[in-house]
Amino acid sequence: MADSGIGVKDETRGEARVLSPEGDIDLNASPALREVVRGVLESGGAKVVVVDLSMVDYMDSSGVATLVDAMRSARKAGVRLWLSSLGPQVRSIFEIARLDRVFDIASTADEAIERSGGEDG
Amino acid sequence: MKAPVELSIQSDPVYLAGARELIAALCRRVGFQDEACGQVALAVDEALANVIRHGYDRRTDGPIRVLVWPESEPGVGGIRIVIEDEAKQVDPASIKSRDLDDVRPGGLGVYIMKRVMDGVAHEKREGGVGMRLTMHRAASSDAGVGGSGAEANDG
């Protein structure tokens, strides 16, 4: 079976790209998310990338690993990567892994973009 | 004692969601709160993902059995879960959590299992093929976020 189980909405807001995965991010779906994030970072143009997790009810460590990988790639590319709109289960796994202090996390995608603009300007 | 619930799946990650839903439903039946149900389902997800990635090297046709005792002992709240595979055997002592201060992709699964469950034990199966993982969590456990859990570099 090859159903990745996930779709990713890709939206441009000014100089920011907002990626909104929808579905569970587990070992089945993580490769698809990894490809989308990698493509956005490699395409250039965006100074800020927000991964909006409002439509993700579940994430396991493969999803966390995908986002750690994305954060490292973003730093190399000079892009600021935010996570936003974490639901209770998703927030919980970041707390268990103690990664909630490593990522830039905002309540909403709009807040992430606003905070990036304020800090850049 | 024969497990009252048994799930057999192939080592294809597409079946992880179904396994999580089953485990969460059984946890609710035992009386766990929603957060604890989610944590136990996460531990099983991580265990199955490790079997798929490391045991079967992402082969999707390897057999995996999930055996569940919704009560850890008759009349006692909690859940006991055994996961058996027919993949390559490894030294149980080599299956370790990684140091969380080392921020890198991967290696979190064992840490998460130990953090949210009360007991996690790997062993080689009899006959020279396959591993067995036994995990349990008591209904009264405070394991999980905020609980004592496992140390970051716990083996």
Side-chain angles (χ1 to χ4, degrees):
Chain A
M1 296 180 76
D3 180 8
S4 72
I6 193 168
V8 183
K9 191 171 133 194
D10 181 358
E11 190 182 353
T12 299
R13 297 189 201 172
E15 293 186 334
R17 292 279 284 274
V18 179
L19 304 176
S20 306
E22 182 175 5
D24 291 358
I25 303 180
D26 59 8
L27 187 63
N28 187 46
S30 291
L33 177 62
R34 189 180 299 262
E35 281 305 303
V36 171
V37 175
R38 182 179 294 160
V40 167
L41 291 173
E42 287 178 356
S43 68
K47 290 183 177 175
V48 176
V49 171
V50 184
V51 181
D52 182 333
L53 297 168
S54 58
M55 292 183 290
V56 175
D57 290 331
Y58 179 85
M59 184 182 293
D60 70 7
S61 70
S62 71
V64 173
T66 296
L67 294 173
V68 169
D69 197 30
M71 179 180 67
R72 297 171 127 197
S73 299
R75 283 180 180 166
K76 279 185 194 163
V79 174
R80 184 150 186 203
L81 181 82
W82 287 84
L83 307 182
S84 76
S85 316
L86 280 63
Q89 192 279 335
V90 176
R91 181 170 289 280
S92 171
I93 191 168
F94 276 91
E95 289 172 354
I96 290 171
R98 298 186 201 156
L99 288 169
D100 52 320
R101 291 165 288 186
V102 174
F103 281 92
D104 287 327
I105 297 176
S107 299
T108 64
D110 286 339
E111 181 196 310
I113 294 168
E114 191 180 320
R115 284 170 60 184
S116 295
E119 288 163 19
D120 288 346
Chain B
M1 186 179 75
K2 183 173 165 51
V5 181
E6 181 175 333
L7 171 69
S8 293
I9 60 172
Q10 289 189 315
S11 56
D12 188 327
V14 78
Y15 299 122
L16 291 175
R20 291 195 299 268
E21 287 172 19
L22 172 67
I23 295 298
L26 291 169
C27 285
R28 279 191 288 276
R29 180 180 171 281
V30 169
F32 284 126
Q33 299 297 309
D34 283 348
E35 183 183 13
C37 292
Q39 290 174 353
V40 176
L42 173 64
V44 170
D45 175 297
E46 297 291 350
L48 294 173
N50 278 348
V51 171
I52 293 169
R53 276 189 299 202
H54 305 302
Y56 286 116
D57 294 324
R58 294 184 181 266
R59 231 181 73 205
T60 57
D61 62 349
I64 305 176
R65 286 202 314 157
V66 183
L67 311 170
V68 186
W69 288 262
E71 290 185 304
S72 51
E73 294 172 40
V76 177
I79 194 162
R80 183 157 67 95
I81 300 159
V82 172
I83 296 174
E84 295 181 336
D85 62 57
E86 295 177 16
K88 65 192 174 200
Q89 294 191 323
V90 297
D91 179 359
S94 70
I95 303 172
K96 293 179 179 176
S97 307
R98 73 163 168 80
D99 186 346
L100 291 191
D101 291 333
D102 178 16
V103 178
R104 61 174 168 80
L108 281 172
V110 174
Y111 173 83
I112 289 170
M113 284 188 266
K114 290 188 173 183
R115 180 78 191 271
V116 305
M117 301 300 284
D118 292 321
V120 177
H122 290 85
E123 61 185 325
K124 293 180 182 177
R125 291 180 67 191
E126 306 75 11
V129 177
M131 299 293 291
R132 177 184 296 114
L133 166 64
T134 302
M135 303 191 286
H136 69 88
R137 177 161 168 165
S140 58
S141 169
D142 63 352
V145 179
S148 55
E151 294 305 315
N153 58 358
D154 187 355

